[in-house]
Amino acid sequence: MTFLKLENLKVYYPVRGGFFKRVVDNVKAVDDITLELKEGETYGLVGESGCGKSTTGRTLLGLNKATSGKIIFNDVDLLSLNRREYSQYRKDIQMIFQDPYSSLNPRKRVIDIIAEPIRNFEKLSSKEVKRKVQEVLEKVGLSPESIYKYPHEFSGGQRQRIGIARALTLNPRLIVADEPVSALDVSVQAQVLNFMKDIQKEFNLTYLFISHDLGIIRHMCDRIGIMYKGRIVEQGTTEDIYENPQHIYTKRLLSAIPDINPDNRDKHMAFRKQVDAEFNNSFNQYFDTEGKIVDLRPLSETHSVALP
Amino acid sequence: MSKQPLLKINNLSTSFRIGDDYYAAVDDVSLTVNENEVVAIVGESGCGKSALALSIMQLHPQERTKMAGEVLFNGKNLLSLSVSEMNKVRGKDMGMIFQDPLTALNPLMRVGQQIEESMKNHLQLSDAEMKKRSLELLNKVGIPNPERTYMQYPHELSGGMRQRVVIAIAIACEPKFLIADEPTTALDVTIQAQILDLMRDLQSQMKTGIILITHDLGVVAEMADKVAVMYAGEIVEFADVSTLYNNPLHPYTRSLFNSIPSAAHGQDRLHVIQGIVPSLKNLPRTGCRFSERIPWIDSATHEEHPALHEVEKDHFVRCSCYQHFHFPKDAEDLKYDIS
Amino acid sequence: MLKFIIRRFLVMIPQLALLSILIFLLAKAMPGDALTGSMQANPNLDPKVFEELREKLGLNDPWYEQYGRWIGNLFQGELGMSYIHKVDIADLLGDRMANTFWLGLVTLIFTYLIAVPLGVVAGRWNESWADKLIVGYNYVSFAIPLFVFALIMLFIFGFGLHWFPIGGSVDVTVEKGTFAYFLSRIHHLLLPAITAALLSTVGTIQYLRNEIIDTKLKDFVKTARAKGTPEKKVYSRHIFRNSLLPVAAFLGYDIVFIIGGSVFIEQIFSYPGLGQLFISSINQRDFSVVNILVMLFGFLSILGTLISDIILSIVDPRIRID
């Protein structure tokens, strides 16, 4: 059974121009990617801003429209479903947003924020709703009495937990976490990351973890896909990627992470300069004749790279 | 002892008015920056590191701010200068690099104008000389096509290019001292690496003294000569970078290191600092300010009036609690604060 | 830019066509027609005469034929006849349009002369007593109805102090083309213009004040200060320019607003302009005139949005139109 598979997914945005505003070109935000997630694992999607990683996550949730391709979830292609059929599957996939300060409506109480998905997908009496909200609040380690508070009464980490509680209310199986901790201080970040690991074990969740922070990705993920210009350039287990990177872009990304040991400073800088030079020299050979990054080629069972 | 300190901060306190009362965001901080030296100030948001940076430049709104102590720059106390005297120092003798290159540039002015503004303020140059110098600066900060960028508006540039422009502005009058406030936080890693390389190159060419404000311990490891760790408005630990990274002592410093994923290879759980960074109004003002976040440590180990102790040469730690600090056992670990 | 303007004008055509059909039908649906007024004035005349007249003027044709005729004439520059005044509408509009234009322009100038400095003072020194005073004025001018305020102004400065004339656009005794004629026109303009201006400053002041308060805290202002830029220049070069953007954007709408707003002012100050003509034409069922005026107002408001877009694209480099 396929838990989740994105097959040849493309998301293009039209560029309009000319006197009559006709479509003259496309911005290829996601350009033909294929990836598969196994149940219970954490798959990390890494890349720099504009590489298409967030668009991929949002398309999975139906927040962006796919241009072509398939999103197979539980053996069903979500893109071929009509609205009603889709909403059945939609509640199995939830999202955690980046900024806990702006993703919670400041004028709504915690109970209304968390109950929103329940009210959208299930018909429950207000008493049942309240009970359910208190339940998930307890799950995320917040006091059940806090349901009538407003978001500003919580700290950043607590707010992110409210966001997670909202995602958990419908017992989802897959959670798309789009930069869930980038807006948080390190100590709060640690708290949220630990917590995400805990609930993953408890509820057998699968994560699509989107981030630009390679340290966090390494800590959290089982498998990783490196995205660059709308394409996946390398995919493998965390070990494959960090110990044995093959694509020059992956190498460059990894060499750019600051080394936490100040005594390695000069060595690390020299290494980075060397990788940068290699990147600039061999850059072109990773594209095909049309300027598209070449397709992935398997190196081992787990590891594949977009090499010519 | 041949080095003359470029900047010497003595017992600086900066307080902000909230309602009718003043609350100190920077509390009795002393710090020295020498020529050709990078001093990093590390801490989480709300620890007072940005407030300290803006205090040196005196960029806080005057009507809501009280400052006490001394900021000696080349032997001159900046706090005693008038606004117009201070304007002669800002931009000329000290420059500042801000966090977000998008908002740090005026959207309605061309890049060239923004670089030249600083020269107009401080140097008597003709328009042609200023343009020549601007183009040189743009070239120096690694902008591929200076002539073109000179005429562009900020929104036409990428984030990395904008930050280069911000740096060009800061060094336009070749200041001896720079403050960089989270200069790479808003950038992607590869761009961050480029900007850090650029700053290091410029620093070694110009022998600038730099205060680097950041929350990123990786950036500190790459850039700094000395590190000051701040918590709740105070410096809690100070040492040169190698000493601090190999032998962190203060409980806060150790907690920070243990909570970042990149330093915790293979470790399944990250350390979580209990509680939250107190808000300015609720800062503990007596005793060890970090004590409430390490409640499992015997309160008798804290000093009543914690002072900075020189525990080895040039390595300072506040309060004596570090001698007894240990990380919590599993049972105590990760207690969600319920509010 | 030129492309953009042409495209906007092309879009304007269907908008205006729809508007013209709408107002034509509405005018038809109103009780009475162009002859109703004369019928009431001459109750002794035989209704048959009017019936013949209707037939002759084409008032009994189906609406689309009448509409087609009207639009056809419009395209040839024939605005039609006013049934009441028995003159060509073009002649009727000519002088009044000029009157309204001057009144509108002077009002606009006064509005900005008052609003910009007040907004700047309130924004720069916000929370000061001056700011509180200006915000207070804003509340009052927003709350007070135009016609009440206009009557008070007219009573005090017109009837009471005799500083300004109480009606008309020019003194009948002065000769056209002389300097005295010019002065007399200005004299007649001033009171209605100041009155209207005092009440139309609210938006500009409020916007400018809020923008300045926001902009003061922006990072690029800190950058400017960090360069050692003196406070005065920080304001003039960085804060004000950025704060004026929304005000500039409103300029286009303001032009239309002031012409629309003059309807009441002209009526109260008996100032012979388009607004006054509009009201009296409605009262007299002079629909050929009303239709033309509504078309004109419609055209102006579409033009206003276009002007606003163009102004914004000029002052803000981030907005590009092509």
Side-chain angles (χ1 to χ4, degrees):
Chain A
M1 196 186 92
T2 312
F3 179 71
L4 176 80
K5 187 170 186 192
L6 309 182
E7 227 175 84
N8 300 102
L9 186 72
K10 293 182 185 173
V11 184
Y12 289 0
Y13 297 112
V15 179
R16 290 171 191 280
F19 194 80
F20 294 104
K21 303 236 164 214
R22 271 184 313 219
V23 177
V24 291
D25 200 2
N26 284 306
V27 173
K28 298 172 177 174
V30 176
D31 192 11
D32 194 1
I33 65 168
T34 298
L35 62 92
E36 196 173 340
L37 266 69
K38 292 193 268 301
E39 188 154 22
E41 77 171 340
T42 302
Y43 186 97
L45 212 45
V46 201
E48 296 184 279
S49 42
C51 72
K53 57 188 194 301
S54 287
T55 311
T56 307
R58 294 174 56 87
T59 310
L60 182 52
L61 282 136
L63 299 173
N64 281 31
K65 216 175 141 356
T67 309
S68 70
K70 286 181 182 165
I71 297 176
I72 298 164
F73 181 64
N74 276 331
D75 291 335
V76 180
D77 180 11
L78 296 184
L79 294 178
S80 69
L81 300 179
N82 68 28
R83 230 205 164 114
R84 251 199 31 231
E85 293 166 336
Y86 179 67
S87 78
Q88 283 191 322
Y89 291 95
R90 177 63 177 76
K91 64 177 189 180
D92 287 339
I93 310 175
Q94 293 293 328
M95 185 157 188
I96 304 172
F97 293 92
Q98 170 172 8
D99 187 353
Y101 296 89
S102 62
S103 63
L104 303 180
N105 185 338
R107 284 182 196 81
K108 281 190 171 175
R109 297 169 304 177
V110 169
I111 182 168
D112 299 316
I113 292 170
I114 296 179
E116 206 177 326
I118 311 180
R119 289 178 183 148
N120 287 342
F121 288 100
E122 284 171 28
K123 287 193 178 65
L124 293 178
S125 71
S126 62
K127 232 185 185 163
E128 287 169 313
V129 169
K130 189 177 160 191
R131 199 180 44 87
K132 191 143 190 194
V133 169
Q134 288 178 324
E135 249 176 56
V136 288
L137 271 182
E138 258 179 280
K139 272 188 210 165
V140 300
L142 291 168
S143 140
E145 282 86 62
S146 51
I147 51 170
Y148 294 118
K149 287 189 180 173
Y150 287 88
H152 68 86
E153 297 172 63
F154 296 90
S155 68
Q158 290 173 326
R159 272 188 242 202
Q160 195 55 303
R161 274 189 260 150
I162 295 173
I164 295 174
R166 174 172 60 184
L168 286 179
T169 46
L170 295 169
N171 302 318
R173 300 172 57 203
L174 171 67
I175 287 186
V176 177
D178 190 357
E179 306 269 9
V181 293
S182 346
L184 305 173
D185 268 320
V186 274
S187 68
V188 185
Q189 184 175 304
Q191 190 183 33
V192 173
L193 293 179
N194 283 348
F195 173 67
M196 284 181 70
K197 281 197 163 185
D198 291 346
I199 56 170
Q200 177 168 39
K201 272 185 218 134
E202 203 176 334
F203 304 107
N204 192 29
L205 293 171
T206 309
Y207 288 132
L208 180 64
F209 199 101
I210 299 168
S211 179
H212 70 280
D213 188 320
L214 292 138
I216 291 171
I217 287 283
R218 181 175 203 172
H219 179 74
M220 290 297 286
C221 299
D222 306 309
R223 290 195 305 131
I224 294 166
I226 309 275
M227 271 190 96
Y228 182 55
K229 299 194 170 178
R231 301 276 288 163
I232 291 181
V233 296
E234 187 159 0
Q235 178 174 264
T237 62
T238 305
E239 210 184 296
D240 290 335
I241 299 288
Y242 283 87
E243 306 301 333
N244 186 23
Q246 291 300 315
H247 197 279
I248 184 62
Y249 181 70
T250 313
K251 288 185 198 166
R252 182 165 184 246
L253 215 51
L254 293 176
S255 74
I257 314 174
D259 193 320
I260 195 78
N261 185 351
D263 302 333
N264 290 344
R265 190 183 288 175
D266 295 331
K267 219 167 70 193
H268 187 66
M269 197 170 146
F271 172 62
R272 187 159 69 219
K273 288 242 159 84
Q274 180 200 329
V275 173
D276 262 359
E278 195 189 331
F279 179 82
N280 291 329
N281 287 334
S282 63
F283 184 71
N284 286 322
Q285 72 186 67
Y286 293 90
F287 295 86
D288 65 13
T289 44
E290 284 159 33
K292 186 173 164 182
I293 294 166
V294 295
D295 285 331
L296 287 177
R297 223 159 40 89
L299 284 184
S300 70
E301 219 162 278
T302 53
H303 195 177
S304 47
V305 191
L307 287 178
Chain B
M1 291 312 289
S2 60
K3 268 190 188 170
Q4 203 224 325
L6 184 63
L7 181 85
K8 196 164 183 336
I9 300 171
N10 290 327
N11 308 95
L12 177 71
S13 294
T14 302
S15 314
F16 300 124
R17 197 181 70 208
I18 303 175
D20 291 329
D21 297 312
Y22 281 86
Y23 296 89
V26 177
D27 209 345
D28 199 16
V29 166
S30 300
L31 191 69
T32 302
V33 183
N34 294 313
E35 208 173 84
N36 196 16
E37 180 178 78
V38 180
V39 177
I41 299 176
V42 193
E44 295 178 281
S45 44
C47 70
K49 57 190 194 303
S50 282
L52 173 61
L54 292 177
S55 300
I56 299 168
M57 292 287 266
Q58 291 180 42
L59 289 175
H60 292 299
Q62 280 180 336
E63 63 276 14
R64 289 191 287 114
T65 316
K66 260 191 202 162
M67 290 201 273
E70 276 184 326
V71 180
L72 297 173
F73 182 74
N74 279 335
K76 189 165 56 177
N77 184 9
L78 297 183
L79 294 192
S80 65
L81 296 184
S82 70
V83 176
S84 64
E85 285 169 325
M86 190 60 208
N87 272 336
K88 284 184 190 133
V89 177
R90 280 193 286 245
K92 175 136 198 307
D93 299 319
M94 47 173 76
M96 184 147 185
I97 300 167
F98 292 90
Q99 172 173 0
D100 187 348
L102 178 58
T103 56
L105 295 171
N106 187 335
L108 301 187
M109 275 166 86
R110 292 179 198 278
V111 166
Q113 288 174 291
Q114 304 203 39
I115 299 176
E116 284 171 10
E117 184 174 15
S118 170
M119 300 180 207
K120 270 189 198 141
N121 291 335
H122 302 294
L123 311 170
Q124 272 72 49
L125 293 176
S126 70
D127 284 359
E129 285 169 320
M130 281 198 290
K131 179 164 184 187
K132 186 166 159 269
R133 193 167 168 157
S134 299
L135 294 175
E136 280 167 15
L137 279 165
L138 287 171
N139 190 37
K140 202 172 184 176
V141 296
I143 282 182
N145 191 344
E147 291 273 357
R148 195 171 112 97
T149 305
Y150 181 85
M151 290 305 290
Q152 279 178 313
Y153 288 99
H155 71 274
E156 298 172 285
L157 305 173
S158 68
M161 287 299 142
R162 279 190 212 127
Q163 194 61 306
R164 287 170 195 271
V165 170
V166 170
I167 293 175
I169 291 174
I171 61 170
C173 299
E174 295 181 353
K176 284 265 125 265
F177 173 69
L178 275 177
I179 298 174
D181 188 358
E182 305 266 8
T184 58
T185 306
L187 305 173
D188 276 319
V189 267
T190 54
I191 312 290
Q192 162 169 303
Q194 290 167 8
I195 296 289
L196 293 181
D197 288 345
L198 170 68
M199 285 177 60
R200 218 169 8 218
D201 285 349
L202 291 174
Q203 196 242 346
S204 59
Q205 280 171 38
M206 298 163 69
K207 307 267 176 274
T208 328
I210 296 182
I211 282 190
L212 172 71
I213 311 275
T214 182
H215 70 277
D216 188 328
L217 292 166
V219 171
V220 176
E222 292 246 329
M223 287 291 291
D225 298 314
K226 292 178 182 164
V227 189
V229 181
M230 271 186 92
Y231 181 79
E234 291 181 328
I235 291 179
V236 294
E237 187 160 3
F238 182 82
D240 69 82
V241 67
S242 189
T243 310
L244 190 94
Y245 275 61
N246 291 318
N247 184 24
L249 290 177
H250 193 275
Y252 182 59
T253 317
R254 291 176 62 187
S255 304
L256 275 185
F257 273 110
N258 259 330
S259 59
I260 54 170
S262 49
H265 287 328
Q267 193 183 314
D268 189 45
R269 306 200 65 82
L270 301 168
H271 174 64
V272 172
I273 305 177
Q274 279 200 13
I276 52 169
V277 177
S279 68
L280 185 53
K281 244 179 143 164
N282 301 321
L283 280 193
R285 301 286 173 193
T286 52
C288 177
R289 298 185 178 190
F290 195 60
S291 60
E292 59 179 34
R293 309 213 38 198
I294 42 171
W296 63 91
I297 301 297
D298 185 3
S299 57
T301 64
H302 298 291
E303 285 170 44
E304 203 176 327
H305 300 287
L308 277 175
H309 307 287
E310 187 163 10
V311 294
E312 56 187 309
K313 191 172 180 305
D314 295 329
H315 186 176
F316 297 85
V317 183
R318 189 176 295 276
C319 192
S320 53
C321 60
Y322 76 92
Q323 294 164 0
H324 310 275
F325 178 71
H326 60 85
F327 284 107
K329 313 285 180 284
D330 274 355
E332 298 163 297
D333 195 4
L334 216 131
K335 275 185 199 149
Y336 297 129
D337 42 312
I338 290 179
S339 51
Chain C
M1 175 75 118
L2 190 66
K3 246 196 226 167
F4 169 81
I5 294 171
I6 293 172
R7 187 165 48 226
R8 285 290 289 265
F9 269 104
L10 289 180
V11 171
M12 214 186 264
I13 292 171
Q15 286 175 324
L16 285 176
L18 199 70
L19 179 70
S20 68
I21 294 177
L22 213 65
I23 47 180
F24 193 81
L25 288 181
L26 278 176
K28 283 280 142 202
M30 295 273 276
D33 61 23
L35 302 181
T36 315
S38 333
M39 271 168 81
Q40 281 162 348
N42 308 299
N44 302 330
L45 271 178
D46 189 352
K48 266 189 192 154
V49 179
F50 286 107
E51 206 42 52
E52 277 168 26
L53 214 53
R54 280 204 174 98
E55 196 61 43
K56 208 176 97 192
L57 290 170
L59 292 177
N60 288 334
D61 293 345
W63 71 268
Y64 47 86
E65 277 183 30
Q66 293 187 41
Y67 174 75
R69 221 170 19 241
W70 179 61
I71 277 292
N73 287 337
L74 270 189
F75 269 107
Q76 288 160 21
E78 293 257 344
L79 301 186
M81 292 279 286
S82 160
Y83 297 124
I84 304 292
H85 301 279
K86 306 277 184 261
V87 291
D88 212 320
I89 293 177
D91 295 336
L92 200 61
L93 294 185
D95 278 353
R96 289 164 196 265
M97 205 137 116
N99 285 342
T100 292
F101 174 76
W102 288 116
L103 177 60
L105 186 71
V106 175
T107 308
L108 196 65
I109 293 171
F110 275 127
T111 304
Y112 284 110
L113 278 181
I114 301 167
V116 171
L118 289 187
V120 166
V121 169
R124 177 162 181 178
W125 291 282
N126 71 307
E127 300 299 317
S128 69
W129 61 267
D131 173 41
K132 283 177 185 141
L133 218 62
I134 291 166
V135 172
Y137 153 69
N138 244 6
Y139 280 126
V140 172
S141 72
F142 187 60
I144 198 165
L146 178 62
F147 64 92
V148 172
F149 184 65
L151 284 173
I152 294 172
M153 293 289 280
L154 190 64
F155 184 75
I156 297 175
F157 297 102
F159 289 99
L161 300 170
H162 296 291
W163 287 1
F164 297 101
I166 54 168
S169 69
V170 68
D171 218 322
V172 284
T173 55
V174 294
E175 206 176 313
K176 214 169 176 165
T178 61
F179 186 62
Y181 181 83
F182 175 72
L183 280 184
S184 165
R185 287 201 66 155
I186 291 199
H187 193 209
H188 281 77
L189 265 180
L190 280 178
L191 188 59
I194 292 174
T195 305
L198 279 172
L199 291 199
S200 34
T201 52
V202 180
T204 310
I205 293 182
Q206 205 59 33
Y207 259 104
L208 201 53
R209 175 178 181 271
N210 292 349
E211 275 302 311
I212 291 176
I213 293 171
D214 282 353
T215 312
K216 274 202 283 200
L217 301 173
K218 290 266 167 74
D219 281 352
F220 65 80
V221 175
K222 259 186 220 146
T223 308
R225 293 209 173 99
K227 291 177 196 169
T229 308
E231 202 57 17
K232 230 170 145 181
K233 279 190 180 162
V234 169
Y235 270 92
S236 63
R237 236 186 261 166
H238 296 277
I239 299 179
F240 292 154
R241 272 190 63 192
N242 282 278
S243 306
L244 279 170
L245 287 183
V247 176
F250 264 103
L251 188 62
Y253 299 100
D254 268 349
I255 292 171
V256 177
F257 171 78
I258 280 167
I259 293 173
S262 324
V263 170
F264 298 99
I265 287 287
E266 287 177 6
Q267 192 67 16
I268 291 166
F269 289 92
S270 321
Y271 185 86
L274 292 182
Q276 203 202 25
L277 179 67
F278 188 54
I279 301 276
S280 66
S281 299
I282 291 174
N283 287 337
Q284 295 168 318
R285 306 278 187 277
D286 199 350
F287 292 127
S288 51
V289 178
V290 174
N291 286 354
I292 295 289
L293 284 174
V294 175
M295 284 296 286
L296 185 71
F297 290 146
F299 172 73
L300 281 173
S301 34
I302 298 174
L303 193 69
T305 59
L306 177 63
I307 294 173
S308 280
D309 287 351
I310 294 173
I311 292 174
L312 206 54
S313 79
I314 292 171
V315 293
D316 191 339
R318 284 167 298 184
I319 295 172
R320 238 191 29 223
I321 50 181
D322 50 20

